[in-house]
Amino acid sequence: MNPPPERLFIEGQAGALEAIVEETAVPGTAVPGSSYAIVCHPHPLYGGTMDNKVVTTVARALHETGIPTVRFNFRGVGASAGAFDDGVGETADADAVASWGGARWPGRTLVIAGFSFGAYVALRLVQQRAARHLITIAPAVQLFTESGMAVPRVPWLVVQGDADEVVDPAAVISWVNGLEPKPRLVVLPGVGHFFHGRLRELRDAVVDAIRSG
C-alpha cells in the first residue's frame, strides 16, 4: 500500500518551494533501473499550479508505473517564495526539486515532465541534467522554437490535442517533425488544451511511453 501524499517545502534559489510528494514504496529504496519524477505546471501568470488536473493526471500515471513523483509550485505560486522569472528562475526551481529528489531517492534516474509552460521548463532542464525520460504535454511551442535549445537524446514523449485552443496543434506537429531524433508524438483527436473529459487518454499515453521504455 502506498503512503499518503506528503506536503512539504523544498529549498530553492528564491526561497522555499511548496511541493507534494507521492511515494510508491519506503522512502529511499530503489530497485535497479528505477526512477523518480518531477512534474512542472503551466504558466504561473495564467493560473497554473501543481494542482492543475493535467499535472495531477501525469503524476498519477507515473505513480501507476511505480515511479514516485514530486509536484511543486514554481516561485511566486501558492505558498512558494519568489516571483515569476520568465522560465529562467522556474528552471532553477525545477533543478532544485530534481536535486532534492536525487537525495530522497539515491540511485534512481530522473524523469522530467511538464505541461504547457511547464513543458518548456522541462526541456530547459533536460539541457543541463541527465534524465531517463522527458514528457511534454501540449508544449508551449512558441517558447521552444525561439529558444534554440538542443534536441535531448533521451526517450521523449510529446502529447498534443488537435483541438488545442491555447497552443497551435499544427505548429507543435510541424516542430516535432523537424526534430532529429524525433520524439514519440501522440496526437489526440478532438482534445483541447486542458484535456477536458479526455484525461484517461493522456494517462494511457504516459503509462504506455514509460512501460515501453
Side-chain angles (χ1 to χ4, degrees):
M1 183 133 173
N2 295 324
E6 181 183 350
R7 290 184 173 269
L8 45 74
F9 285 88
I10 295 169
E11 195 57 36
Q13 183 188 69
L17 300 168
E18 185 180 18
I20 295 176
V21 177
E22 293 180 273
E23 281 281 5
T24 54
V26 178
T29 61
V31 295
S34 59
S35 301
Y36 70 98
I38 68 168
V39 188
C40 302
H41 69 69
H43 207 296
L45 300 186
Y46 299 97
T49 77
M50 65 179 175
D51 295 316
N52 171 276
K53 66 182 181 180
V54 172
V55 171
T56 57
T57 297
V58 171
R60 193 173 303 120
L62 292 166
H63 203 245
E64 190 175 316
T65 68
I67 298 174
T69 61
V70 190
R71 294 182 276 129
F72 64 100
N73 279 332
F74 289 130
R75 57 185 64 196
V77 176
S80 292
F84 178 66
D85 192 30
D86 207 28
V88 177
E90 287 74 17
T91 304
D93 295 341
D95 188 56
V97 172
S99 292
W100 181 91
R104 168 95 170 210
W105 299 289
R108 288 182 180 251
T109 55
L110 173 63
V111 174
I112 306 172
F115 169 43
S116 197
F117 171 83
Y120 170 60
V121 173
L123 183 61
R124 285 179 57 93
L125 183 61
V126 84
Q127 303 291 307
Q128 62 192 54
R129 185 179 274 273
R132 176 68 187 88
H133 282 276
L134 174 65
I135 298 168
T136 53
I137 312 300
V141 70
Q142 72 281 6
L143 298 175
F144 284 65
T145 53
E146 292 167 4
S147 68
M149 289 185 281
V151 180
R153 304 270 168 173
V154 300
W156 180 7
L157 171 68
V158 178
V159 182
Q160 178 63 50
D162 74 359
D164 195 318
E165 67 285 7
V166 176
V167 171
D168 179 3
V172 172
I173 294 166
S174 174
W175 169 69
V176 168
N177 286 336
L179 297 174
E180 189 57 47
K182 279 188 180 57
R184 174 178 185 165
L185 174 64
V186 175
V187 178
L188 299 179
V191 172
H193 191 65
F194 296 101
F195 293 80
H196 296 309
R198 308 290 290 276
L199 291 169
R200 179 171 289 279
E201 291 165 75
L202 171 60
R203 169 199 153 278
D204 290 347
V206 172
V207 168
D208 184 58
I210 293 294
R211 287 185 173 159
S212 62

mmCIF file of all heavy atoms in Angstrom, residues 23-62:
data_model
loop_
_atom_site.group_PDB
_atom_site.id
_atom_site.type_symbol
_atom_site.label_atom_id
_atom_site.label_comp_id
_atom_site.label_asym_id
_atom_site.label_seq_id
_atom_site.Cartn_x
_atom_site.Cartn_y
_atom_site.Cartn_z
ATOM 1 N N GLU A 23 4.862 8.851 -2.783
ATOM 2 C CA GLU A 23 5.755 7.700 -2.759
ATOM 3 C C GLU A 23 5.074 6.466 -3.349
ATOM 4 O O GLU A 23 3.843 6.366 -3.382
ATOM 5 C CB GLU A 23 6.152 7.389 -1.304
ATOM 6 C CG GLU A 23 7.229 8.289 -0.737
ATOM 7 C CD GLU A 23 8.628 7.898 -1.208
ATOM 8 O OE1 GLU A 23 8.750 6.988 -2.050
ATOM 9 O OE2 GLU A 23 9.582 8.525 -0.736
ATOM 10 N N THR A 24 5.897 5.538 -3.786
ATOM 11 C CA THR A 24 5.376 4.248 -4.218
ATOM 12 C C THR A 24 5.858 3.121 -3.301
ATOM 13 O O THR A 24 5.390 2.004 -3.405
ATOM 14 C CB THR A 24 5.834 3.922 -5.647
ATOM 15 O OG1 THR A 24 7.261 4.012 -5.706
ATOM 16 C CG2 THR A 24 5.227 4.897 -6.641
ATOM 17 N N ALA A 25 6.804 3.436 -2.446
ATOM 18 C CA ALA A 25 7.367 2.427 -1.545
ATOM 19 C C ALA A 25 8.004 3.154 -0.373
ATOM 20 O O ALA A 25 7.781 4.336 -0.167
ATOM 21 C CB ALA A 25 8.388 1.567 -2.281
ATOM 22 N N VAL A 26 8.814 2.445 0.374
ATOM 23 C CA VAL A 26 9.505 3.061 1.509
ATOM 24 C C VAL A 26 10.480 4.112 0.981
ATOM 25 O O VAL A 26 11.241 3.839 0.046
ATOM 26 C CB VAL A 26 10.255 2.001 2.333
ATOM 27 C CG1 VAL A 26 11.007 2.637 3.487
ATOM 28 C CG2 VAL A 26 9.279 0.948 2.837
ATOM 29 N N PRO A 27 10.469 5.339 1.516
ATOM 30 C CA PRO A 27 11.378 6.376 1.034
ATOM 31 C C PRO A 27 12.824 5.911 1.032
ATOM 32 O O PRO A 27 13.288 5.240 1.966
ATOM 33 C CB PRO A 27 11.172 7.521 2.038
ATOM 34 C CG PRO A 27 9.800 7.314 2.575
ATOM 35 C CD PRO A 27 9.600 5.824 2.610
ATOM 36 N N GLY A 28 13.529 6.248 -0.032
ATOM 37 C CA GLY A 28 14.952 5.952 -0.113
ATOM 38 C C GLY A 28 15.274 4.605 -0.708
ATOM 39 O O GLY A 28 16.425 4.306 -0.986
ATOM 40 N N THR A 29 14.271 3.759 -0.943
ATOM 41 C CA THR A 29 14.558 2.457 -1.528
ATOM 42 C C THR A 29 14.515 2.556 -3.046
ATOM 43 O O THR A 29 13.839 3.392 -3.617
ATOM 44 C CB THR A 29 13.534 1.399 -1.070
ATOM 45 O OG1 THR A 29 12.238 1.795 -1.510
ATOM 46 C CG2 THR A 29 13.540 1.252 0.425
ATOM 47 N N ALA A 30 15.258 1.697 -3.695
ATOM 48 C CA ALA A 30 15.271 1.690 -5.154
ATOM 49 C C ALA A 30 15.602 0.286 -5.650
ATOM 50 O O ALA A 30 16.295 -0.472 -4.981
ATOM 51 C CB ALA A 30 16.306 2.682 -5.689
ATOM 52 N N VAL A 31 15.078 -0.041 -6.803
ATOM 53 C CA VAL A 31 15.449 -1.280 -7.466
ATOM 54 C C VAL A 31 16.205 -0.905 -8.722
ATOM 55 O O VAL A 31 16.073 0.218 -9.223
ATOM 56 C CB VAL A 31 14.198 -2.126 -7.817
ATOM 57 C CG1 VAL A 31 13.503 -2.581 -6.550
ATOM 58 C CG2 VAL A 31 13.243 -1.357 -8.700
ATOM 59 N N PRO A 32 17.038 -1.799 -9.268
ATOM 60 C CA PRO A 32 17.809 -1.456 -10.458
ATOM 61 C C PRO A 32 16.910 -0.939 -11.589
ATOM 62 O O PRO A 32 15.860 -1.509 -11.883
ATOM 63 C CB PRO A 32 18.467 -2.790 -10.833
ATOM 64 C CG PRO A 32 18.574 -3.525 -9.535
ATOM 65 C CD PRO A 32 17.344 -3.145 -8.767
ATOM 66 N N GLY A 33 17.328 0.165 -12.200
ATOM 67 C CA GLY A 33 16.567 0.733 -13.301
ATOM 68 C C GLY A 33 15.398 1.605 -12.886
ATOM 69 O O GLY A 33 14.648 2.080 -13.730
ATOM 70 N N SER A 34 15.231 1.828 -11.595
ATOM 71 C CA SER A 34 14.071 2.606 -11.146
ATOM 72 C C SER A 34 14.332 4.106 -11.260
ATOM 73 O O SER A 34 15.458 4.560 -11.377
ATOM 74 C CB SER A 34 13.703 2.234 -9.713
ATOM 75 O OG SER A 34 14.792 2.468 -8.840
ATOM 76 N N SER A 35 13.239 4.871 -11.211
ATOM 77 C CA SER A 35 13.310 6.311 -11.437
ATOM 78 C C SER A 35 12.487 7.064 -10.398
ATOM 79 O O SER A 35 11.748 6.468 -9.615
ATOM 80 C CB SER A 35 12.758 6.656 -12.836
ATOM 81 O OG SER A 35 13.471 6.009 -13.854
ATOM 82 N N TYR A 36 12.637 8.375 -10.401
ATOM 83 C CA TYR A 36 11.710 9.277 -9.719
ATOM 84 C C TYR A 36 11.385 10.383 -10.709
ATOM 85 O O TYR A 36 12.095 10.566 -11.702
ATOM 86 C CB TYR A 36 12.316 9.846 -8.426
ATOM 87 C CG TYR A 36 13.444 10.835 -8.631
ATOM 88 C CD1 TYR A 36 13.221 12.209 -8.599
ATOM 89 C CD2 TYR A 36 14.756 10.395 -8.857
ATOM 90 C CE1 TYR A 36 14.259 13.122 -8.790
ATOM 91 C CE2 TYR A 36 15.796 11.293 -9.051
ATOM 92 C CZ TYR A 36 15.542 12.650 -9.015
ATOM 93 O OH TYR A 36 16.562 13.550 -9.216
ATOM 94 N N ALA A 37 10.288 11.097 -10.469
ATOM 95 C CA ALA A 37 9.848 12.100 -11.449
ATOM 96 C C ALA A 37 9.505 13.419 -10.793
ATOM 97 O O ALA A 37 8.998 13.459 -9.665
ATOM 98 C CB ALA A 37 8.626 11.585 -12.214
ATOM 99 N N ILE A 38 9.756 14.503 -11.532
ATOM 100 C CA ILE A 38 9.244 15.815 -11.165
ATOM 101 C C ILE A 38 8.274 16.251 -12.269
ATOM 102 O O ILE A 38 8.483 15.927 -13.444
ATOM 103 C CB ILE A 38 10.356 16.852 -10.951
ATOM 104 C CG1 ILE A 38 11.064 17.197 -12.270
ATOM 105 C CG2 ILE A 38 11.372 16.363 -9.924
ATOM 106 C CD1 ILE A 38 11.975 18.414 -12.184
ATOM 107 N N VAL A 39 7.205 16.951 -11.870
ATOM 108 C CA VAL A 39 6.186 17.376 -12.837
ATOM 109 C C VAL A 39 6.011 18.892 -12.726
ATOM 110 O O VAL A 39 5.715 19.409 -11.643
ATOM 111 C CB VAL A 39 4.842 16.657 -12.603
ATOM 112 C CG1 VAL A 39 3.877 16.988 -13.739
ATOM 113 C CG2 VAL A 39 5.032 15.144 -12.494
ATOM 114 N N CYS A 40 6.203 19.586 -13.859
ATOM 115 C CA CYS A 40 6.183 21.050 -13.889
ATOM 116 C C CYS A 40 4.832 21.559 -14.396
ATOM 117 O O CYS A 40 4.315 21.076 -15.414
ATOM 118 C CB CYS A 40 7.285 21.563 -14.802
ATOM 119 S SG CYS A 40 8.957 21.028 -14.340
ATOM 120 N N HIS A 41 4.287 22.556 -13.718
ATOM 121 C CA HIS A 41 2.924 23.021 -14.010
ATOM 122 C C HIS A 41 2.887 24.130 -15.067
ATOM 123 O O HIS A 41 3.925 24.697 -15.440
ATOM 124 C CB HIS A 41 2.223 23.441 -12.720
ATOM 125 C CG HIS A 41 2.748 24.673 -12.047
ATOM 126 N ND1 HIS A 41 2.602 25.931 -12.566
ATOM 127 C CD2 HIS A 41 3.389 24.840 -10.849
ATOM 128 C CE1 HIS A 41 3.120 26.827 -11.738
ATOM 129 N NE2 HIS A 41 3.617 26.189 -10.689
ATOM 130 N N PRO A 42 1.669 24.487 -15.540
ATOM 131 C CA PRO A 42 1.534 25.526 -16.574
ATOM 132 C C PRO A 42 1.870 26.936 -16.069
ATOM 133 O O PRO A 42 2.238 27.119 -14.907
ATOM 134 C CB PRO A 42 0.075 25.433 -17.011
ATOM 135 C CG PRO A 42 -0.536 24.313 -16.282
ATOM 136 C CD PRO A 42 0.410 23.845 -15.228
ATOM 137 N N HIS A 43 1.676 27.894 -16.944
ATOM 138 C CA HIS A 43 2.158 29.261 -16.729
ATOM 139 C C HIS A 43 1.641 29.873 -15.422
ATOM 140 O O HIS A 43 0.441 29.977 -15.200
ATOM 141 C CB HIS A 43 1.719 30.149 -17.899
ATOM 142 C CG HIS A 43 2.627 31.305 -18.127
ATOM 143 N ND1 HIS A 43 2.801 32.312 -17.198
ATOM 144 C CD2 HIS A 43 3.433 31.615 -19.169
ATOM 145 C CE1 HIS A 43 3.658 33.191 -17.656
ATOM 146 N NE2 HIS A 43 4.069 32.804 -18.849
ATOM 147 N N PRO A 44 2.569 30.328 -14.574
ATOM 148 C CA PRO A 44 2.177 30.923 -13.284
ATOM 149 C C PRO A 44 1.294 32.157 -13.405
ATOM 150 O O PRO A 44 0.463 32.411 -12.526
ATOM 151 C CB PRO A 44 3.518 31.289 -12.645
ATOM 152 C CG PRO A 44 4.512 30.381 -13.278
ATOM 153 C CD PRO A 44 4.032 30.191 -14.686
ATOM 154 N N LEU A 45 1.442 32.930 -14.474
ATOM 155 C CA LEU A 45 0.670 34.169 -14.614
ATOM 156 C C LEU A 45 -0.733 33.926 -15.170
ATOM 157 O O LEU A 45 -1.530 34.853 -15.265
ATOM 158 C CB LEU A 45 1.418 35.165 -15.506
ATOM 159 C CG LEU A 45 2.803 35.593 -15.023
ATOM 160 C CD1 LEU A 45 3.365 36.683 -15.914
ATOM 161 C CD2 LEU A 45 2.780 36.045 -13.561
ATOM 162 N N TYR A 46 -1.028 32.673 -15.526
ATOM 163 C CA TYR A 46 -2.351 32.339 -16.071
ATOM 164 C C TYR A 46 -3.029 31.244 -15.250
ATOM 165 O O TYR A 46 -3.774 30.433 -15.777
ATOM 166 C CB TYR A 46 -2.226 31.931 -17.545
ATOM 167 C CG TYR A 46 -1.666 33.031 -18.404
ATOM 168 C CD1 TYR A 46 -0.307 33.065 -18.721
ATOM 169 C CD2 TYR A 46 -2.471 34.070 -18.858
ATOM 170 C CE1 TYR A 46 0.231 34.093 -19.485
ATOM 171 C CE2 TYR A 46 -1.946 35.113 -19.620
ATOM 172 C CZ TYR A 46 -0.595 35.114 -19.925
ATOM 173 O OH TYR A 46 -0.078 36.144 -20.677
ATOM 174 N N GLY A 47 -2.723 31.216 -13.967
ATOM 175 C CA GLY A 47 -3.407 30.300 -13.063
ATOM 176 C C GLY A 47 -2.806 28.925 -12.929
ATOM 177 O O GLY A 47 -3.408 28.046 -12.310
ATOM 178 N N GLY A 48 -1.641 28.711 -13.498
ATOM 179 C CA GLY A 48 -1.010 27.394 -13.404
ATOM 180 C C GLY A 48 -0.511 27.083 -12.001
ATOM 181 O O GLY A 48 0.141 27.929 -11.377
ATOM 182 N N THR A 49 -0.824 25.885 -11.510
ATOM 183 C CA THR A 49 -0.331 25.423 -10.202
ATOM 184 C C THR A 49 -0.078 23.925 -10.263
ATOM 185 O O THR A 49 -0.471 23.249 -11.213
ATOM 186 C CB THR A 49 -1.355 25.674 -9.066
ATOM 187 O OG1 THR A 49 -2.395 24.691 -9.150
ATOM 188 C CG2 THR A 49 -1.955 27.074 -9.122
ATOM 189 N N MET A 50 0.524 23.415 -9.198
ATOM 190 C CA MET A 50 0.798 21.979 -9.113
ATOM 191 C C MET A 50 -0.480 21.154 -8.965
ATOM 192 O O MET A 50 -0.449 19.928 -9.100
ATOM 193 C CB MET A 50 1.735 21.681 -7.946
ATOM 194 C CG MET A 50 1.161 21.974 -6.575
ATOM 195 S SD MET A 50 2.356 21.537 -5.270
ATOM 196 C CE MET A 50 1.493 22.131 -3.809
ATOM 197 N N ASP A 51 -1.609 21.810 -8.683
ATOM 198 C CA ASP A 51 -2.887 21.107 -8.553
ATOM 199 C C ASP A 51 -3.683 21.081 -9.851
ATOM 200 O O ASP A 51 -4.808 20.561 -9.876
ATOM 201 C CB ASP A 51 -3.727 21.751 -7.446
ATOM 202 C CG ASP A 51 -3.083 21.584 -6.077
ATOM 203 O OD1 ASP A 51 -2.604 20.471 -5.791
ATOM 204 O OD2 ASP A 51 -3.040 22.561 -5.318
ATOM 205 N N ASN A 52 -3.124 21.616 -10.934
ATOM 206 C CA ASN A 52 -3.761 21.531 -12.241
ATOM 207 C C ASN A 52 -4.075 20.066 -12.565
ATOM 208 O O ASN A 52 -3.276 19.174 -12.304
ATOM 209 C CB ASN A 52 -2.805 22.120 -13.280
ATOM 210 C CG ASN A 52 -3.263 21.902 -14.692
ATOM 211 O OD1 ASN A 52 -3.023 20.851 -15.268
ATOM 212 N ND2 ASN A 52 -3.919 22.896 -15.259
ATOM 213 N N LYS A 53 -5.229 19.809 -13.170
ATOM 214 C CA LYS A 53 -5.668 18.419 -13.350
ATOM 215 C C LYS A 53 -4.815 17.652 -14.359
ATOM 216 O O LYS A 53 -4.684 16.429 -14.245
ATOM 217 C CB LYS A 53 -7.138 18.375 -13.747
ATOM 218 C CG LYS A 53 -7.464 18.958 -15.096
ATOM 219 C CD LYS A 53 -8.966 18.891 -15.353
ATOM 220 C CE LYS A 53 -9.311 19.447 -16.727
ATOM 221 N NZ LYS A 53 -10.768 19.379 -16.980
ATOM 222 N N VAL A 54 -4.225 18.344 -15.318
ATOM 223 C CA VAL A 54 -3.316 17.660 -16.234
ATOM 224 C C VAL A 54 -2.043 17.248 -15.494
ATOM 225 O O VAL A 54 -1.537 16.132 -15.658
ATOM 226 C CB VAL A 54 -2.996 18.550 -17.454
ATOM 227 C CG1 VAL A 54 -1.902 17.920 -18.304
ATOM 228 C CG2 VAL A 54 -4.249 18.784 -18.281
ATOM 229 N N VAL A 55 -1.531 18.140 -14.663
ATOM 230 C CA VAL A 55 -0.339 17.845 -13.859
ATOM 231 C C VAL A 55 -0.596 16.662 -12.929
ATOM 232 O O VAL A 55 0.216 15.736 -12.844
ATOM 233 C CB VAL A 55 0.081 19.100 -13.052
ATOM 234 C CG1 VAL A 55 1.178 18.763 -12.041
ATOM 235 C CG2 VAL A 55 0.541 20.199 -13.994
ATOM 236 N N THR A 56 -1.731 16.672 -12.264
ATOM 237 C CA THR A 56 -2.030 15.568 -11.334
ATOM 238 C C THR A 56 -2.266 14.265 -12.081
ATOM 239 O O THR A 56 -1.904 13.192 -11.596
ATOM 240 C CB THR A 56 -3.238 15.900 -10.440
ATOM 241 O OG1 THR A 56 -4.380 16.194 -11.255
ATOM 242 C CG2 THR A 56 -2.943 17.099 -9.546
ATOM 243 N N THR A 57 -2.829 14.343 -13.293
ATOM 244 C CA THR A 57 -3.025 13.133 -14.095
ATOM 245 C C THR A 57 -1.692 12.535 -14.519
ATOM 246 O O THR A 57 -1.496 11.313 -14.462
ATOM 247 C CB THR A 57 -3.886 13.446 -15.336
ATOM 248 O OG1 THR A 57 -5.189 13.862 -14.908
ATOM 249 C CG2 THR A 57 -4.023 12.230 -16.240
ATOM 250 N N VAL A 58 -0.764 13.377 -14.950
ATOM 251 C CA VAL A 58 0.564 12.889 -15.339
ATOM 252 C C VAL A 58 1.264 12.257 -14.136
ATOM 253 O O VAL A 58 1.854 11.176 -14.240
ATOM 254 C CB VAL A 58 1.408 14.030 -15.940
ATOM 255 C CG1 VAL A 58 2.856 13.591 -16.135
ATOM 256 C CG2 VAL A 58 0.810 14.493 -17.270
ATOM 257 N N ALA A 59 1.193 12.926 -12.987
ATOM 258 C CA ALA A 59 1.805 12.377 -11.775
ATOM 259 C C ALA A 59 1.188 11.027 -11.420
ATOM 260 O O ALA A 59 1.891 10.076 -11.058
ATOM 261 C CB ALA A 59 1.657 13.363 -10.618
ATOM 262 N N ARG A 60 -0.119 10.925 -11.543
ATOM 263 C CA ARG A 60 -0.811 9.673 -11.223
ATOM 264 C C ARG A 60 -0.393 8.555 -12.184
ATOM 265 O O ARG A 60 -0.204 7.409 -11.786
ATOM 266 C CB ARG A 60 -2.328 9.902 -11.283
ATOM 267 C CG ARG A 60 -3.151 8.785 -10.671
ATOM 268 C CD ARG A 60 -4.622 9.152 -10.620
ATOM 269 N NE ARG A 60 -4.844 10.385 -9.883
ATOM 270 C CZ ARG A 60 -5.398 11.483 -10.383
ATOM 271 N NH1 ARG A 60 -5.781 11.517 -11.649
ATOM 272 N NH2 ARG A 60 -5.574 12.548 -9.638
ATOM 273 N N ALA A 61 -0.241 8.904 -13.449
ATOM 274 C CA ALA A 61 0.181 7.914 -14.439
ATOM 275 C C ALA A 61 1.587 7.403 -14.135
ATOM 276 O O ALA A 61 1.854 6.192 -14.196
ATOM 277 C CB ALA A 61 0.129 8.529 -15.839
ATOM 278 N N LEU A 62 2.479 8.311 -13.799
ATOM 279 C CA LEU A 62 3.846 7.915 -13.447
ATOM 280 C C LEU A 62 3.841 7.042 -12.198
ATOM 281 O O LEU A 62 4.540 6.026 -12.118
ATOM 282 C CB LEU A 62 4.709 9.159 -13.241
ATOM 283 C CG LEU A 62 4.974 9.977 -14.512
ATOM 284 C CD1 LEU A 62 5.533 11.350 -14.162
ATOM 285 C CD2 LEU A 62 5.928 9.232 -15.433
#
